[in-house]
Amino acid sequence: PQTEPPHLVPAFWDSPLSHGINVFVGLVLCFTMLGLGCTVEVSQLEEHIRRPIGVLLALVCQFVIMPLVAFLLALAFSLDDVAAMAVLLCGCCPGGNLSNIMSLLVHGEMNLSIIMTISSTLLALVLMPLCLWIYSRAWINTPVVNLLPFGAIILTLCSTLIPIGLGVMLRYRHTRVADIVLKASLWSLLVTLVMLFVLTGVMLGPELLSTIPPSVYVVAVLMPLCGYAAGYGLAVLFDLPPNSRRSVSLETGCQNVQLCTAILKLAFPPQLMGGMYMFPLLYALFQAAEAGIFILAYKLYRKEVLRKSDPMMDGGVSDITYQRFRDEDLEPSYGAVTVSDPNTIVLEPCPPDP
């Protein structure tokens, strides 16, 4: 009975189901990146070049904090080389667009959330292979590290630039179509995770899941939690407003699991990885569950303690797109300028002249 899983796994990789999943994962990754490109307003890019706080935070969160968290957890739980590579790969991935949905639900700074997701995806072309190379040195003489397919990883990352570019063009020329594509891509995120769990977990049964050590499940629980906490701490260190802190926190813990799954499925030898290609799916499950608890706690705090209603429930704006950056958006505590009629400008919180 103990030899069944090793025989079962290679048989699965050679099956039409496995090849079907490969194609499905590739198509979903392209569609997700197309949706990510549709969030970008070309007119906003100049402002983020002048104020590169989002790019800087993306760099620190996704390519300093998360790879380090993944590396330390892999060492702390003494993961074998294959499991460690799956965890490291997930930690070195750029931010996922799940964080944009989550940020919207906690009334986060959407401009910051989107620019961090886009920046980390572009920075990943160089920094993801670099982080993998640096941290894989701990397992230097193992087969999975000797076979580390940097060429295939870089090729997969480069292939994401085409749908992102198409998404940017779509937003620039056809705004309504871009809105539809964006919403469809966000829904596809949920559908993909459910379908992949069903295809692998149910059709293969417990045999494949039993090949994943319990310590890997623990790492999948702790890793997004550490990311959320570290991201919030970094935002406090940067002295960002509360809404920006929530966005940075979610952006740090949410990884692009579609990209991670695609790389594990398409770039690594399947017989070597075994059931470990399931790790990004486990990570996705726990990052969504933990973010859900965070969102629920925030909404209860907002309703019970702050006594504020939810603007989205009251028919407020719920589109995940850029909004025009204004100075008062960044420092809301300084007060805002309101125009009541063309001849009257009122500065708040200062009382108006009689």
Side-chain angles (χ1 to χ4, degrees):
Q2 292 183 346
T3 57
E4 278 182 11
H7 288 300
L8 176 74
V9 172
F12 166 69
W13 300 125
D14 294 331
S15 69
L17 174 62
S18 176
H19 296 305
I21 290 175
N22 284 355
V23 173
F24 178 66
V25 164
L27 289 173
V28 166
L29 177 65
C30 286
F31 191 54
T32 303
M33 292 298 113
L34 180 68
L36 189 61
C38 285
T39 61
V40 178
E41 289 279 4
V42 176
S43 60
Q44 297 295 315
L45 294 178
E46 185 187 342
E47 296 188 45
H48 287 294
I49 291 168
R50 286 192 290 110
R51 296 186 195 179
I53 182 74
V55 180
L56 179 62
L57 285 170
L59 191 151
V60 175
C61 291
Q62 298 298 346
F63 303 108
V64 177
I65 291 175
M66 288 309 290
L68 184 60
V69 166
F71 176 73
L72 293 176
L73 286 173
L75 288 183
F77 287 91
S78 304
L79 300 184
D80 62 62
D81 56 321
V82 175
M85 282 307 102
V87 170
L88 266 182
L89 188 68
C90 194
C92 294
C93 271
N97 56 0
L98 178 70
S99 61
N100 303 143
I101 307 171
M102 299 298 186
S103 189
L104 182 73
L105 292 172
V106 294
H107 312 109
E109 174 54 73
M110 289 309 300
N111 291 333
L112 184 60
S113 178
I114 290 167
I115 197 64
M116 283 183 71
T117 304
I118 288 286
S119 300
S120 65
T121 304
L122 297 178
L123 289 167
L125 289 168
V126 175
L127 295 179
M128 187 177 174
L130 179 64
C131 288
L132 275 174
W133 184 83
I134 291 169
Y135 288 110
S136 65
R137 300 301 90 191
W139 296 271
I140 187 67
N141 293 318
T142 57
V144 71
V145 173
N146 291 335
L147 291 169
L148 204 60
F150 286 113
I153 290 170
I154 293 168
L155 188 65
T156 308
L157 288 167
C158 287
S159 68
T160 63
L161 291 178
I162 298 169
I164 287 174
L166 288 173
V168 173
M169 283 178 61
L170 203 61
R171 167 64 61 187
Y172 183 67
R173 294 186 176 181
H174 307 285
T175 306
R176 284 188 178 181
V177 178
D179 286 336
I180 294 167
V181 170
L182 175 57
K183 287 174 183 177
S185 73
L186 294 175
W187 275 107
S188 76
L189 180 69
L190 179 63
V191 174
T192 305
L193 294 176
V194 172
M195 283 187 70
L196 285 174
F197 268 116
V198 170
L199 286 171
T200 53
V202 176
M203 290 187 175
L204 294 177
E207 289 88 353
L208 182 65
L209 293 174
S210 66
T211 62
I212 302 174
S215 56
V216 173
Y217 286 95
V218 178
V219 169
V221 172
L222 292 177
M223 201 166 136
L225 207 57
C226 293
Y228 293 140
Y232 197 88
L234 183 72
V236 171
L237 197 66
F238 272 74
D239 197 27
L240 298 180
N243 62 338
S244 295
R245 292 176 189 178
R246 295 191 293 272
S247 289
V248 173
S249 173
L250 290 165
E251 192 65 40
T252 307
C254 288
Q255 299 296 86
N256 190 332
V257 290
Q258 303 99 307
L259 179 63
C260 188
T261 305
I263 290 173
L264 284 175
K265 287 283 288 159
L266 306 176
F268 283 85
Q271 291 81 1
L272 188 65
M273 293 310 292
M276 283 312 300
Y277 95 94
M278 287 288 285
F279 179 77
L281 302 181
L282 292 174
Y283 185 93
L285 178 69
F286 291 119
Q287 80 174 8
E290 289 163 14
I293 294 168
F294 174 44
I295 290 165
L296 188 63
Y298 167 75
K299 286 192 177 293
L300 284 171
Y301 172 77
R302 184 181 172 88
K303 184 181 178 182
E304 302 298 329
V305 179
L306 301 181
R307 303 289 180 185
K308 290 182 180 179
S309 62
D310 193 332
M312 280 185 287
M313 297 299 182
D314 298 337
V317 177
S318 60
D319 285 338
I320 301 181
T321 52
Y322 275 113
Q323 298 163 359
R324 174 67 59 180
F325 248 139
R326 299 186 304 272
D327 289 339
E328 62 265 24
D329 287 340
L330 296 176
E331 294 294 337
S333 58
Y334 293 160
V337 178
T338 57
V339 182
S340 52
D341 65 66
N343 300 315
T344 308
I345 296 179
V346 181
L347 285 173
E348 296 173 354
C350 299
D353 291 335

